[in-house]
Amino acid sequence: MEKELDFLIEYLERSVTEFEAELESDPENEFVQGKIKGLNHALRIVRMYNKPELGNHISVIID
């Protein structure tokens, strides 16, 4: 499972980089700003899920 999460982290990081480049051309684009915020939030969740400290796991429920 860790390998799949690492792949997901790489994908999300790549997506954030692409949207940040798009945002440079239009800094007022709220749609792209929202996408970046959402991707960064997803990255935090995946990283927490991927690297539990001392065996303390987190539970994530997505509606």
Side-chain angles (χ1 to χ4, degrees), residues 21-45:
E22 185 177 333
L23 190 63
E24 286 179 12
S25 65
D26 184 13
E28 300 297 319
N29 191 335
E30 293 180 1
F31 179 73
V32 175
Q33 290 174 359
K35 286 237 182 215
I36 291 170
K37 285 181 183 179
L39 289 168
N40 283 327
H41 185 68
L43 267 169
R44 279 191 293 276
I45 292 171

Side-chain angles (χ1 to χ4, degrees), residues 3-4 12 14-16 18 27 29 31-32 36-37 39 46 48-50 57 60 62-63:
K3 183 178 180 181
E4 290 87 3
L12 291 171
R14 192 170 47 249
S15 296
V16 168
E18 291 172 5
N29 191 335
F31 179 73
V32 175
I36 291 170
K37 285 181 183 179
L39 289 168
V46 172
M48 285 189 301
Y49 189 74
N50 196 24
H57 300 277
V60 178
I62 301 174
D63 292 332

Side-chain angles (χ1 to χ4, degrees), residues 1 3 7 10 13 17 19 22 30 32 37 45 59:
M1 167 104 98
K3 183 178 180 181
F7 177 77
E10 290 175 18
E13 288 174 340
T17 303
F19 281 116
E22 185 177 333
E30 293 180 1
V32 175
K37 285 181 183 179
I45 292 171
S59 296

